[in-house]
Amino acid sequence: MTNRRVFIKSVLAMAAGLSLGVRKASADTGPFPSNIVYTADDPGQWAKKAPIHVPQVSMADGKLTVQTKHPMSEAHFIVRHTVVGADGKVIGAQVFTPKDKPISTYDLPPKGEYYATSFCNLHDFWVTKFTV
């Protein structure tokens, strides 16, 4: 369990660092290195898995909701959601067990650019950039 926590913290730190304005890895991959961080536009090796792994963001009634449309089982599940500001500040996070639904809700942050992340135990780290 400790190794998973260290890995998740490392990935979140990398995502926060990348969000601070690192230049694009290439013209095709967007702001994240391909096959390390996955997005709807760059699903890399998991292209067929994108629809159930990309975090979906919605806003209503002063709340921000992140949902990953992913089935949950002991063998394959979403481990965590995190919302991070473009400045690297963590707005909130939710850890899931295989019995949970991968939906998390946070107070709506101030206007600006943010990243919603979804980490799957089998299909890696997914990010959606959004603006409030």
Side-chain angles (χ1 to χ4, degrees), residues 32-63:
F32 305 111
S34 192
N35 287 320
I36 295 175
V37 176
Y38 302 93
T39 66
D41 292 336
D42 184 17
Q45 65 182 331
W46 305 122
K48 293 179 182 177
K49 308 287 185 187
I52 64 168
H53 288 87
V54 173
Q56 305 294 313
V57 176
S58 61
M59 294 168 256
D61 301 323
K63 296 291 182 183

Side-chain angles (χ1 to χ4, degrees), residues 27-106:
D28 299 326
T29 65
F32 305 111
S34 192
N35 287 320
I36 295 175
V37 176
Y38 302 93
T39 66
D41 292 336
D42 184 17
Q45 65 182 331
W46 305 122
K48 293 179 182 177
K49 308 287 185 187
I52 64 168
H53 288 87
V54 173
Q56 305 294 313
V57 176
S58 61
M59 294 168 256
D61 301 323
K63 296 291 182 183
L64 169 71
T65 301
V66 178
Q67 177 178 5
T68 307
K69 297 181 178 185
H70 191 288
M72 301 287 271
S73 71
E74 290 290 329
H76 184 195
F77 64 100
I78 297 301
V79 176
R80 180 180 175 112
H81 283 163
T82 304
V83 177
V84 181
D87 62 358
K89 180 181 177 187
V90 175
I91 304 306
Q94 175 71 44
V95 176
F96 304 105
T97 70
K99 295 178 182 178
D100 297 327
K101 290 183 179 182
I103 300 171
S104 56
T105 304
Y106 312 93

Side-chain angles (χ1 to χ4, degrees), residues 15-21 84-89 91 112-115 129-130:
L18 289 172
S19 72
L20 293 176
V84 181
D87 62 358
K89 180 181 177 187
I91 304 306
E113 289 187 342
Y114 295 89
Y115 298 88
K129 183 178 180 179
F130 66 98

